[in-house]
Amino acid sequence: MANRESFGSGFGILVAMAGSAVGLGNLWRFPYLVGTNGGAAFIIIYLAFVLLLALPIMYSEFIVGRRSQANVFGAFKVLAPGTKWCNIGFIYVLGSLAIISFYCVVGGWTINYFWKAITFKFAVADTAALGNMFSQTVTANYEPLGFMLIFLVATALIVMAGVKDGIERYTKLMMPVLFLIVVLVAVRAVTLPGAGAGLEFLFKPDFSKVTANTFLDALGQAFFSLSIGCGTVMTYSSYVSKKENVVGLSVETAMADTIFAIIAGLAIMPAVFSFGISPSEGPGLVFVTLPYIFAQIPMGSFLAILFFFMLFIAAITSSISMLEVIVAYLNEEFKMGRKLAIILSFAVVVVLGTMCSLSQGVMADFKIFGNNIFDFFDKLSANILLPVGGFLAVIFVGWKMKRADVEDELTSGGVHPFTRAFRNYVYFSIKYLAPIVVAIILIRGLI
Ligand code: PHE
């Protein structure tokens, strides 16, 4: 395709992919899932899923994107012209749209809390007061919408600047900062008196807490956290040149994301235990529990500012990847200028995001299948759209594409050959392992 954008360097690609993966999923979702699912046992299942299921899906999305050099709809038109596959792109566009619609609301909360941290709003408060502060913050009508808009405008501006000058440039700038901050907060947390219990919770498995639901939660989290199943990897990899290492980049992205999640756990759990708070606090963990802890420890108000700034950066480097999926689709499939594509998708997301935000307050009684709109989008994406999207990607690569083409991509045309045994394993995991296990967990979960 003429004049298509591309990333500037291999490192830039890695940072952009890691930026997409590392997000609220690591800092907000992972800790409370670990907390409610029995600690280390959940982490072990999660790691197994990343290794056995998420990676083959990531390779598959990467292969489809890079080989076609097109958006999530166009990709299948290039690789399987005239077949039904040409329609599956809508799953990915829908997935990205569903996620960004509630993600931008939480993104708004992070800016709001960053502001609260700067203005020392957490001082002298107890957990009850902080709980109230959180519920007032999210249930209000206008304020959360304002912050959501700021978040979305920032997202749109980065995407507007382009793949190389926007996405790559800003993620390269922001990710190192993010990493430094999380390490700093983690070091402070593990040196708190009584932190040992938190470490034990994170690293000593208690399998008695594991239920069937733990597996579904772990699977959904693996998809959500690695940004797979909604076309972000497919879209980013369509801007990647033929010489880059598909397997290497995928493994590095997964490692970066996992290491980040563990460090985030280290930043949060020891402090939670040190202050005798229940780790199964749920989604409010980072917005209620942490501000309380920050208010109690030396240098806490400074850490609070850093922490919420970090949460914001983590969120925005992810939201740009979701917006890019939709923008690339509109841009290429409807021959719409990039600017117009961004304005249009921005407008749609603002409407959906507004509904998600209001569903925390005035629209709380409006239910879809028993969930408010926010929870509906969350569950629809993590439990259905992402697994289905991932499933279709591995089926396509394993069963529709020729093995020779798949191997050509996996080895980048022979540049990164790997051993025969490794290639066989990867192909087996794409063709059989990932689709079968994902299908079983998905069907069990839906029943
Ligand atoms: N992986 C991101 C996170 O952990 C969320 C995300 C999901 C981003 C899907 C893009 C696509 O927060």
Side-chain angles (χ1 to χ4, degrees):
M1 217 171 281
N3 292 330
R4 227 170 161 270
E5 290 211 69
S6 64
F7 282 106
S9 69
F11 180 67
I13 301 161
L14 176 63
V15 177
M17 300 235 313
S20 169
V22 173
L24 297 169
N26 306 60
L27 291 156
W28 168 66
R29 224 166 173 270
F30 185 74
Y32 82 71
L33 284 175
V34 172
T36 49
N37 280 300
F42 177 84
I43 299 184
I44 292 172
I45 300 171
Y46 172 80
L47 289 180
F49 282 171
V50 168
L51 218 59
L52 299 176
L53 306 178
L55 275 178
I57 293 173
M58 205 174 216
Y59 302 147
S60 301
E61 276 200 44
F62 211 117
I63 288 172
V64 171
R66 190 185 52 191
R67 196 162 188 84
S68 63
Q69 301 279 302
N71 69 87
V72 293
F73 260 88
F76 295 93
K77 292 192 194 161
V78 172
L79 300 177
T83 65
K84 291 210 177 71
W85 288 100
C86 298
N87 303 312
I88 69 165
F90 85 90
I91 270 278
Y92 303 114
V93 174
L94 220 63
S96 291
L97 195 60
I99 299 178
I100 196 174
S101 298
F102 71 87
Y103 208 87
C104 67
V105 176
V106 185
W109 300 348
T110 66
I111 304 178
N112 192 329
Y113 265 69
F114 173 59
W115 180 246
K116 285 186 167 55
I118 290 185
T119 48
F120 299 111
K121 288 288 187 306
F122 308 139
V124 302
D126 53 33
T127 38
L130 285 163
N132 275 337
M133 184 194 278
F134 180 61
S135 65
Q136 275 165 15
T137 301
V138 304
T139 55
N141 285 339
Y142 301 112
E143 198 188 73
L145 291 181
F147 284 107
M148 177 194 88
L149 269 181
I150 298 176
F151 182 81
L152 280 176
V153 167
T155 302
L157 285 177
I158 296 177
V159 173
M160 188 84 86
V163 173
K164 185 159 160 244
D165 297 333
I167 296 175
E168 177 170 355
R169 181 156 154 227
Y170 288 99
T171 45
K172 253 177 161 166
L173 214 70
M174 292 189 280
M175 290 307 286
V177 177
L178 190 58
F179 189 73
L180 277 182
I181 298 179
V182 76
V183 169
L184 200 80
V185 179
V187 169
R188 182 68 195 92
V190 297
T191 50
L192 284 171
L199 296 179
E200 191 165 298
F201 181 74
L202 279 173
F203 296 116
K204 204 167 142 206
D206 173 6
F207 284 100
S208 68
K209 297 264 169 53
V210 172
T211 63
N213 218 16
T214 313
F215 288 87
L216 188 64
D217 272 348
L219 184 78
Q221 175 61 12
F223 278 74
F224 188 86
S225 191
L226 291 182
S227 309
I228 53 177
C230 63
T232 52
V233 176
M234 213 179 272
T235 304
Y236 273 10
S237 62
S238 75
Y239 304 121
V240 170
S241 78
K242 189 79 191 179
K243 67 177 200 312
E244 302 295 344
N245 182 349
V246 171
V247 175
L249 281 169
S250 304
V251 171
E252 283 157 20
T253 302
M255 269 172 54
D257 188 67
T258 306
I259 291 172
F260 209 97
I262 304 280
I263 302 181
L266 283 178
I268 292 168
M269 284 307 160
V272 167
F273 276 85
S274 168
F275 284 88
I277 294 165
S278 161
S280 55
E281 182 73 31
L285 205 53
V286 299
F287 290 103
V288 179
T289 310
L290 281 183
Y292 170 72
I293 294 166
F294 288 138
Q296 313 298 316
I297 58 179
M299 269 182 29
S301 39
F302 174 65
L303 283 183
I305 296 173
L306 284 185
F307 182 84
F308 287 103
F309 181 62
M310 158 169 93
L311 215 51
F312 163 70
I313 294 182
I316 196 158
T317 52
S318 298
S319 64
I320 54 181
S321 70
M322 300 172 221
L323 191 64
E324 181 62 31
V325 172
I326 308 166
V327 168
Y329 158 64
L330 293 175
N331 175 215
E332 292 174 8
E333 294 304 300
F334 297 95
K335 308 275 171 286
M336 188 184 281
R338 223 181 129 82
K339 213 176 201 161
L340 185 59
I342 292 169
I343 294 172
L344 191 65
S345 26
F346 174 83
V348 174
V349 176
V350 168
V351 173
L352 295 175
T354 300
M355 289 178 6
C356 286
S357 180
L358 293 179
S359 77
Q360 301 293 305
V362 285
M363 280 172 72
D365 291 334
F366 182 84
K367 298 259 159 80
I368 309 176
F369 299 117
N371 293 294
N372 67 33
I373 305 174
F374 183 108
D375 294 340
F376 175 73
F377 278 129
D378 184 357
K379 293 205 174 122
L380 176 74
S381 54
N383 295 351
I384 300 176
L385 294 174
L386 300 190
V388 171
F391 176 79
L392 289 173
V394 276
I395 292 285
F396 180 80
V397 172
W399 296 86
K400 179 73 191 163
M401 284 179 73
K402 289 202 199 77
R403 175 152 185 177
D405 291 347
V406 176
E407 295 229 354
D408 182 53
E409 281 301 321
L410 275 177
T411 61
S412 305
V415 180
H416 307 282
F418 303 109
T419 62
R420 176 88 254 160
F422 180 73
R423 294 204 308 269
N424 283 343
Y425 164 72
V426 169
Y427 195 71
F428 166 82
S429 66
I430 291 176
K431 190 161 179 149
Y432 301 104
L433 184 66
I436 293 174
V437 181
V438 170
I440 293 174
I441 299 178
L442 189 61
I443 291 167
R444 275 218 56 169
L446 290 183
I447 302 168

